[in-house]
PDB file of all heavy atoms in Angstrom:
ATOM      1  N   VAL S 179      98.220  65.774 111.174  1.00  0.00           N
ATOM      2  CA  VAL S 179      97.082  66.668 111.418  1.00  0.00           C
ATOM      3  C   VAL S 179      97.075  67.858 110.464  1.00  0.00           C
ATOM      4  O   VAL S 179      96.399  68.864 110.717  1.00  0.00           O
ATOM      5  CB  VAL S 179      97.070  67.155 112.878  1.00  0.00           C
ATOM      6  CG1 VAL S 179      96.834  65.989 113.825  1.00  0.00           C
ATOM      7  CG2 VAL S 179      98.361  67.897 113.238  1.00  0.00           C
ATOM      8  N   THR S 180      97.768  67.723 109.333  1.00  0.00           N
ATOM      9  CA  THR S 180      97.788  68.799 108.349  1.00  0.00           C
ATOM     10  C   THR S 180      96.373  69.158 107.894  1.00  0.00           C
ATOM     11  O   THR S 180      96.079  70.323 107.602  1.00  0.00           O
ATOM     12  CB  THR S 180      98.631  68.390 107.128  1.00  0.00           C
ATOM     13  OG1 THR S 180      99.935  68.007 107.562  1.00  0.00           O
ATOM     14  CG2 THR S 180      98.740  69.519 106.127  1.00  0.00           C
ATOM     15  N   GLY S 181      95.492  68.168 107.841  1.00  0.00           N
ATOM     16  CA  GLY S 181      94.129  68.384 107.371  1.00  0.00           C
ATOM     17  C   GLY S 181      93.157  68.837 108.444  1.00  0.00           C
ATOM     18  O   GLY S 181      91.954  68.926 108.184  1.00  0.00           O
ATOM     19  N   VAL S 182      93.646  69.141 109.641  1.00  0.00           N
ATOM     20  CA  VAL S 182      92.767  69.633 110.706  1.00  0.00           C
ATOM     21  C   VAL S 182      92.772  71.160 110.671  1.00  0.00           C
ATOM     22  O   VAL S 182      93.804  71.793 110.891  1.00  0.00           O
ATOM     23  CB  VAL S 182      93.213  69.140 112.092  1.00  0.00           C
ATOM     24  CG1 VAL S 182      92.292  69.704 113.179  1.00  0.00           C
ATOM     25  CG2 VAL S 182      93.193  67.620 112.143  1.00  0.00           C
ATOM     26  N   ALA S 183      91.617  71.757 110.384  1.00  0.00           N
ATOM     27  CA  ALA S 183      91.502  73.213 110.322  1.00  0.00           C
ATOM     28  C   ALA S 183      91.496  73.809 111.720  1.00  0.00           C
ATOM     29  O   ALA S 183      90.878  73.259 112.637  1.00  0.00           O
ATOM     30  CB  ALA S 183      90.211  73.595 109.587  1.00  0.00           C
ATOM     31  N   VAL S 184      92.188  74.927 111.888  1.00  0.00           N
ATOM     32  CA  VAL S 184      92.167  75.686 113.137  1.00  0.00           C
ATOM     33  C   VAL S 184      91.329  76.929 112.878  1.00  0.00           C
ATOM     34  O   VAL S 184      91.723  77.806 112.106  1.00  0.00           O
ATOM     35  CB  VAL S 184      93.585  76.061 113.593  1.00  0.00           C
ATOM     36  CG1 VAL S 184      93.526  76.868 114.887  1.00  0.00           C
ATOM     37  CG2 VAL S 184      94.435  74.808 113.786  1.00  0.00           C
ATOM     38  N   LEU S 185      90.150  76.994 113.496  1.00  0.00           N
ATOM     39  CA  LEU S 185      89.147  78.011 113.167  1.00  0.00           C
ATOM     40  C   LEU S 185      89.202  79.176 114.154  1.00  0.00           C
ATOM     41  O   LEU S 185      88.999  79.003 115.359  1.00  0.00           O
ATOM     42  CB  LEU S 185      87.754  77.386 113.177  1.00  0.00           C
ATOM     43  CG  LEU S 185      87.576  76.166 112.250  1.00  0.00           C
ATOM     44  CD1 LEU S 185      86.150  75.640 112.347  1.00  0.00           C
ATOM     45  CD2 LEU S 185      87.918  76.531 110.814  1.00  0.00           C
ATOM     46  N   ALA S 186      89.458  80.356 113.618  1.00  0.00           N
ATOM     47  CA  ALA S 186      89.566  81.555 114.451  1.00  0.00           C
ATOM     48  C   ALA S 186      88.235  81.872 115.126  1.00  0.00           C
ATOM     49  O   ALA S 186      87.168  81.824 114.493  1.00  0.00           O
ATOM     50  CB  ALA S 186      90.014  82.741 113.595  1.00  0.00           C
ATOM     51  N   GLY S 187      88.303  82.168 116.411  1.00  0.00           N
ATOM     52  CA  GLY S 187      87.119  82.578 117.142  1.00  0.00           C
ATOM     53  C   GLY S 187      86.185  81.454 117.523  1.00  0.00           C
ATOM     54  O   GLY S 187      85.101  81.707 118.062  1.00  0.00           O
ATOM     55  N   ARG S 188      86.572  80.210 117.258  1.00  0.00           N
ATOM     56  CA  ARG S 188      85.719  79.061 117.574  1.00  0.00           C
ATOM     57  C   ARG S 188      86.311  78.273 118.736  1.00  0.00           C
ATOM     58  O   ARG S 188      87.533  78.235 118.931  1.00  0.00           O
ATOM     59  CB  ARG S 188      85.578  78.139 116.364  1.00  0.00           C
ATOM     60  CG  ARG S 188      84.895  78.804 115.188  1.00  0.00           C
ATOM     61  CD  ARG S 188      83.414  79.012 115.455  1.00  0.00           C
ATOM     62  NE  ARG S 188      82.758  79.656 114.338  1.00  0.00           N
ATOM     63  CZ  ARG S 188      81.445  79.877 114.279  1.00  0.00           C
ATOM     64  NH1 ARG S 188      80.677  79.492 115.275  1.00  0.00           N
ATOM     65  NH2 ARG S 188      80.925  80.486 113.232  1.00  0.00           N
ATOM     66  N   ALA S 189      85.431  77.599 119.475  1.00  0.00           N
ATOM     67  CA  ALA S 189      85.877  76.766 120.588  1.00  0.00           C
ATOM     68  C   ALA S 189      86.102  75.339 120.107  1.00  0.00           C
ATOM     69  O   ALA S 189      85.392  74.837 119.229  1.00  0.00           O
ATOM     70  CB  ALA S 189      84.823  76.772 121.692  1.00  0.00           C
ATOM     71  N   THR S 190      87.085  74.686 120.674  1.00  0.00           N
ATOM     72  CA  THR S 190      87.303  73.266 120.411  1.00  0.00           C
ATOM     73  C   THR S 190      86.184  72.451 121.064  1.00  0.00           C
ATOM     74  O   THR S 190      85.684  72.803 122.130  1.00  0.00           O
ATOM     75  CB  THR S 190      88.667  72.844 120.969  1.00  0.00           C
ATOM     76  OG1 THR S 190      89.688  73.592 120.292  1.00  0.00           O
ATOM     77  CG2 THR S 190      88.928  71.356 120.773  1.00  0.00           C
ATOM     78  N   GLY S 191      85.775  71.355 120.417  1.00  0.00           N
ATOM     79  CA  GLY S 191      84.714  70.509 120.949  1.00  0.00           C
ATOM     80  C   GLY S 191      85.081  69.909 122.293  1.00  0.00           C
ATOM     81  O   GLY S 191      86.249  69.617 122.569  1.00  0.00           O
ATOM     82  N   VAL S 192      84.075  69.760 123.156  1.00  0.00           N
ATOM     83  CA  VAL S 192      84.270  69.206 124.493  1.00  0.00           C
ATOM     84  C   VAL S 192      83.225  68.126 124.744  1.00  0.00           C
ATOM     85  O   VAL S 192      82.045  68.296 124.403  1.00  0.00           O
ATOM     86  CB  VAL S 192      84.162  70.291 125.581  1.00  0.00           C
ATOM     87  CG1 VAL S 192      84.200  69.673 126.975  1.00  0.00           C
ATOM     88  CG2 VAL S 192      85.279  71.313 125.429  1.00  0.00           C
ATOM     89  N   ALA S 193      83.645  66.988 125.308  1.00  0.00           N
ATOM     90  CA  ALA S 193      82.726  65.930 125.723  1.00  0.00           C
ATOM     91  C   ALA S 193      82.733  65.842 127.242  1.00  0.00           C
ATOM     92  O   ALA S 193      83.802  65.820 127.870  1.00  0.00           O
ATOM     93  CB  ALA S 193      83.142  64.593 125.117  1.00  0.00           C
ATOM     94  N   LEU S 194      81.553  65.807 127.839  1.00  0.00           N
ATOM     95  CA  LEU S 194      81.388  65.653 129.282  1.00  0.00           C
ATOM     96  C   LEU S 194      80.956  64.215 129.545  1.00  0.00           C
ATOM     97  O   LEU S 194      79.892  63.792 129.087  1.00  0.00           O
ATOM     98  CB  LEU S 194      80.344  66.637 129.806  1.00  0.00           C
ATOM     99  CG  LEU S 194      80.584  68.108 129.439  1.00  0.00           C
ATOM    100  CD1 LEU S 194      79.437  68.970 129.948  1.00  0.00           C
ATOM    101  CD2 LEU S 194      81.919  68.594 129.990  1.00  0.00           C
ATOM    102  N   ILE S 195      81.775  63.462 130.270  1.00  0.00           N
ATOM    103  CA  ILE S 195      81.588  62.017 130.399  1.00  0.00           C
ATOM    104  C   ILE S 195      81.507  61.627 131.868  1.00  0.00           C
ATOM    105  O   ILE S 195      82.340  62.041 132.677  1.00  0.00           O
ATOM    106  CB  ILE S 195      82.761  61.258 129.732  1.00  0.00           C
ATOM    107  CG1 ILE S 195      82.895  61.675 128.259  1.00  0.00           C
ATOM    108  CG2 ILE S 195      82.573  59.744 129.847  1.00  0.00           C
ATOM    109  CD1 ILE S 195      84.132  61.145 127.572  1.00  0.00           C
ATOM    110  N   VAL S 196      80.503  60.819 132.191  1.00  0.00           N
ATOM    111  CA  VAL S 196      80.406  60.205 133.516  1.00  0.00           C
ATOM    112  C   VAL S 196      80.614  58.704 133.343  1.00  0.00           C
ATOM    113  O   VAL S 196      79.992  58.081 132.473  1.00  0.00           O
ATOM    114  CB  VAL S 196      79.040  60.474 134.173  1.00  0.00           C
ATOM    115  CG1 VAL S 196      78.986  59.840 135.567  1.00  0.00           C
ATOM    116  CG2 VAL S 196      78.768  61.964 134.256  1.00  0.00           C
ATOM    117  N   VAL S 197      81.489  58.121 134.155  1.00  0.00           N
ATOM    118  CA  VAL S 197      81.777  56.687 134.101  1.00  0.00           C
ATOM    119  C   VAL S 197      81.429  56.079 135.445  1.00  0.00           C
ATOM    120  O   VAL S 197      81.851  56.586 136.497  1.00  0.00           O
ATOM    121  CB  VAL S 197      83.267  56.426 133.788  1.00  0.00           C
ATOM    122  CG1 VAL S 197      83.545  54.928 133.723  1.00  0.00           C
ATOM    123  CG2 VAL S 197      83.660  57.084 132.476  1.00  0.00           C
ATOM    124  N   ASP S 198      80.645  54.973 135.450  1.00  0.00           N
ATOM    125  CA  ASP S 198      80.271  54.347 136.717  1.00  0.00           C
ATOM    126  C   ASP S 198      81.254  53.244 137.110  1.00  0.00           C
ATOM    127  O   ASP S 198      82.237  52.982 136.404  1.00  0.00           O
ATOM    128  CB  ASP S 198      78.824  53.835 136.681  1.00  0.00           C
ATOM    129  CG  ASP S 198      78.617  52.635 135.756  1.00  0.00           C
ATOM    130  OD1 ASP S 198      79.616  52.026 135.304  1.00  0.00           O
ATOM    131  OD2 ASP S 198      77.448  52.290 135.498  1.00  0.00           O
TER     132      ASP S 198
END
Side-chain angles (χ1 to χ4, degrees):
V179 295
T180 305
V182 179
V184 179
L185 304 180
R188 297 289 180 176
T190 298
V192 173
L194 307 177
I195 303 172
V196 181
V197 181
D198 69 12

